[in-house]
Amino acid sequence: MFELVKAGGILMAPIIACSIVAMAIIIERLWALRAKRVIPDNLVAQIWQLYSKGKLTNAHVVTVKEGSPLGRILAAGLANRQHTKVVMKEAIEEVGRQVVHELERYLNTLGTIASITPLLGLLGTVIGMIKVFAAIMTAGVGDPTVLAGGISEALITTAAGLSVAIPSLMFHRYFGGKVDRLVIKMEEQALKMVEVMAGEREQE
């Protein structure tokens, strides 16, 4: 493996660095974007039970806020539960934008890696072909071993760049779609809580 990396030339270093960063981001986002972590089951129902019994305190609100991203959004509305429905919604929307930004953390970096690694591979290909033509100019085409170094460098860097870019792009699209789905569910839960507390709908 080391010989293969060495044969790929100097551009293998940034490609390998990109692969390490991409792997770290993928593992972290797989853990951070778990549905049960972002949107705990029955959170709105639990809040409503406390609220309907008059047992919802500021300590409960703090616990809800620290428990999950959905909890942060709901806690923003609960902190303004003495105000109008409009004020509660505005507070929820403001915190919701911050939560969405956190859910999308590192996705731009992953997308950038998916974009630049094929270009690094292409640059390696160009450099490898330049070496091939330089060898042809100096030694001619009679000895294939003279050309082998440049050709192998061209092929290895291209393959390495694509090997990093393809999974990075796949996970970037996957995480983007998952964030969108989670945001829709969080909006539904937040709206449900506001309407139930305002007496505009029944708790299911």
Side-chain angles (χ1 to χ4, degrees), residues 79-138:
N80 294 277
R81 60 188 180 277
Q82 305 300 331
H83 299 284
T84 64
K85 174 182 172 181
V86 174
V87 173
M88 289 181 67
K89 282 188 173 182
E90 288 177 351
I92 286 172
E93 289 173 358
E94 182 178 345
V95 174
R97 285 190 289 269
Q98 299 173 11
V99 171
V100 171
H101 180 71
E102 291 181 4
L103 292 178
E104 293 176 340
R105 182 186 299 173
Y106 306 131
L107 294 192
N108 282 339
T109 302
L110 189 61
T112 301
I113 290 173
S115 299
I116 66 172
T117 46
L119 297 179
L120 290 172
L122 178 61
L123 180 59
T125 300
V126 173
I127 292 174
M129 295 311 296
I130 289 173
K131 291 181 179 179
V132 169
F133 286 115
I136 291 175
M137 290 178 63
T138 56

Side-chain angles (χ1 to χ4, degrees), residues 11-195:
L11 285 174
M12 287 296 290
I15 291 175
I16 291 173
C18 286
S19 70
I20 294 171
V21 173
M23 181 62 68
I25 292 173
I26 290 169
I27 293 172
E28 191 275 340
R29 287 292 87 187
L30 284 172
W31 176 262
L33 294 179
R34 290 172 298 140
K36 289 187 176 181
R37 176 190 173 274
V38 178
I39 307 176
D41 294 334
N42 302 318
L43 183 58
V44 173
Q46 294 169 11
I47 292 171
W48 170 244
Q49 288 178 2
L50 292 171
Y51 179 76
S52 62
K53 295 176 182 178
K55 296 181 179 180
L56 184 63
T57 64
N58 290 333
H60 287 123
V61 174
V62 172
T63 302
V64 169
K65 180 179 180 179
E66 295 176 350
S68 64
L70 174 60
R72 281 187 59 192
I73 294 174
L74 299 182
L78 294 173
N80 294 277
R81 60 188 180 277
Q82 305 300 331
H83 299 284
T84 64
K85 174 182 172 181
V86 174
V87 173
M88 289 181 67
K89 282 188 173 182
E90 288 177 351
I92 286 172
E93 289 173 358
E94 182 178 345
V95 174
R97 285 190 289 269
Q98 299 173 11
V99 171
V100 171
H101 180 71
E102 291 181 4
L103 292 178
E104 293 176 340
R105 182 186 299 173
Y106 306 131
L107 294 192
N108 282 339
T109 302
L110 189 61
T112 301
I113 290 173
S115 299
I116 66 172
T117 46
L119 297 179
L120 290 172
L122 178 61
L123 180 59
T125 300
V126 173
I127 292 174
M129 295 311 296
I130 289 173
K131 291 181 179 179
V132 169
F133 286 115
I136 291 175
M137 290 178 63
T138 56
V141 295
D143 186 3
T145 59
V146 177
L147 310 179
I151 295 174
S152 65
E153 181 175 341
L155 296 177
I156 290 170
T157 53
T158 300
L162 292 175
S163 297
V164 176
I166 292 171
S168 296
L169 180 60
M170 289 173 60
F171 277 102
H172 180 262
R173 295 289 179 87
Y174 169 73
F175 289 137
K178 188 165 188 177
V179 168
D180 289 341
R181 293 191 296 272
L182 291 172
V183 169
I184 290 172
K185 290 181 180 179
M186 287 192 295
E187 288 177 350
E188 291 175 350
Q189 293 291 315
L191 181 60
K192 178 181 177 181
M193 184 195 73
V194 172
E195 291 181 347

